[in-house]
Amino acid sequence: MAIQFIEKDDLPVSLNTMQMHIAREALDEDGRLTAVLNQLGVKTEEEGLYLIARKLGLPMADLAKSEVPEEILDGFPIKAVHRDGVFPIGSADDGSLLIATCNPFHIEPIDALAAILGRPALPVVVLPAELAKLIKGRLGVGAETIEGLLAQSEEDDGIEVLEEIDWDQSSDAAMAQEASVVRLVNEILTEAVESGTSDIHIEAQETGMKIRYRIDGVLQTQPMPPEINRFQSAIVSRLKIMARLNIAEKRIPQDGRIKIRVADRAVDIRLSIIPMLHGEGIVMRILDKDRMNFTLRGIGMDEDIYKMFGQLIKLPHGIILVTGPTGSGKTTTLYSALNEIKSDDTKIITTEDPIEYQLDGINQIQVNTKVGLTFAASLRAILRHDPDVVLVGEIRDFETAENAIQASLTGHLVFSTLHTNDAAGAYTRMIDMGIEPFLVSTTVEGIMAQRLVRRLCPHCKQPYIPTPDEVPSDFPLQRLLDSKEPIFKPGGCRECRQTGYSGRAALYELLIPTEEVRRLAGQKAPSGEIKKLARAAGMDTLRDNGWKKVLNGFTSIDEVVRTAKMD
C-alpha cells in the first residue's frame, strides 16, 4: 500500500480519561496539541496524536512518506476538504476509503461522506502541517478562498495591514476589497512568510496567472487552482491598494511598500509592478527582520575569514567593498559588520536605496532620486555630520565613487557594494567609472566577494564517496580520499519540504591587498592578473571556499557548481 502507517512501540501504553479530555478540548479549540504536550506526557505533537489514535483504535499515517494517488479527488466533494479539514488519501484492502484528519474526535463528517459517496470510510490520523501541505499541493494556495470564503463569517485570518488603506470608488477597487479577494491575497502573503520565502513572483501568462516563491534562493512554483485566474485583476488591484499605488495606472512600472503583521511579527514587503504582454507582473521582496541574525557569526562566516574581516572593519579609514550579484547577501554582510563595530563613541551613517532593515544605533538615509537625493548627494551631506563610519548602499557611478574615495582620504571608514563577479574585478570596475588607478589602489583596504549556497538539511543529508567522474576537475578529491570521511548529498524529508536543503550559507572570497596587488591595480592590470597574484598570496576563491564547505558537510557539490564559476 502506498500509505505509510506509523508504529511507535516506545510510548506509554495509553492516555487516561482526563488526558483524552484535555486533548479533545485542545484540538476542538485550535486544531493543535502544541499547548498541552506536557499534560499529555509526550514530547511532540506526533506522539500525542499517535496515542490518541491508538486509544480510539484508529491508524496514523506519515503523509511525508506516503504516495497519495493523483485521481483520489475524483468524485470527492472539495468543499468538505476545507469545511471539515479532511482529505482522501487512498483505499484500504477491504475497499474502504481512507480519509485523513487531524482531529480523530471529530469523525461525524467522515461518516457523512461515507453516506454521500456510497462506500465505507476509515478515519486516518495525520499531522496538521502535513495535511495542510497536502491540501495546498493538490488544490493550490487560495483554493479555500475560491471554494467559499464569501460564504464564511468574518474572522481573524492572522494578517494585519499596519498602514491605513485608501481606495477610490472604481469597480476595480470595489472588486479588490471583496472579502474573498482580501483573504486570497492574505493567504498568499501568509504562506510566503511562514515558508521563509524571500521573493513572491506573480506572473501574468497567456494561460493564466502563475505564482512562484523564491525559497533559499531557488524559485518554486506554487500549485494554484485554475479558478484563480478570474481573480487575477482583483489580486493585482488589492496589492496596489495595500501599497498605496495608483490602481488605474496599468501602463508604467510602479514601486511600493506594504507593512503587515503576520503571527505577531512585523514584516516589510517591497513591491514592484511592471506591465507585461499578458498583464501586470508583480515581484514582492519580503523583509522579515525577526528571521535575520545580523552578526558575522550569525551569517555563518568561516573562522579564518571572520578573523581577517573583523580586523578590516576596525580600521580607522579606507574603503571596504562587498561584491556579488543581486541577492547574494551583500547587505546582510554589511549590516552585520556595522552591528559588530557600533558603539556609543562611534557615529555610523548609511545611505541606502532602499533601507531594507532598520538598525538600532545607526543613522540611516533613504535615497530619493526624484528630489535629487542621490547616493553622491547624500554622501556629501553625510560628511558634514561628522561620521566615523559611512555605508554607501551601492557605488553606481563616477560621482558616488569619487565622493567615497574622498571620504576615505579624509579619515572615514567607508563600506559599500559593487556588482562584480569576483573580488579582483572591483578594481577594474572602479577604474572604468573614471577613478584614477592610484586612488583606487591606495584607498581600498579589502574586497569581499560572496555568493549564497543552500545548506544541506541536517535531518536527511546522505553520506557518500564520489567517484572521479562525479566531481568537477577542480574538486579536491584526493584530499577527500585521504581524510577517509564522506561528503554529503541532499535527501528529502518532512523538515526540509522534500528539497534536501534547509537555509543558506555564504561562500566568501576575501582579497586583502598586498603591496604587489596595489602596484598591479595602480597600473590598471587586468583583474585576472590581480586575482592570480592574490591567490599566490593565500587568497581562497569562491570555488575554494565552496569546496571547504562541501568537505565540512555544509553543502553539496551541485550547489557550489550552481553558484560559483570555476577559476
Side-chain angles (χ1 to χ4, degrees), residues 306-324:
Y306 174 79
K307 288 180 180 178
M308 292 187 288
F309 194 64
Q311 293 173 353
L312 275 181
I313 63 178
K314 293 181 176 68
L315 290 175
H317 56 78
I319 297 178
I320 297 173
L321 298 171
V322 179
T323 77

Side-chain angles (χ1 to χ4, degrees), residues 478-508:
Q478 193 56 51
R479 195 193 319 171
L480 172 66
L481 298 176
D482 291 343
S483 71
K484 298 181 180 178
E485 294 289 333
I487 59 174
F488 296 87
K489 59 184 177 181
C493 68
R494 178 188 306 160
E495 300 293 332
C496 63
R497 306 179 302 277
Q498 305 301 323
T499 64
Y501 297 95
S502 179
R504 288 192 287 178
L507 305 184
Y508 297 105

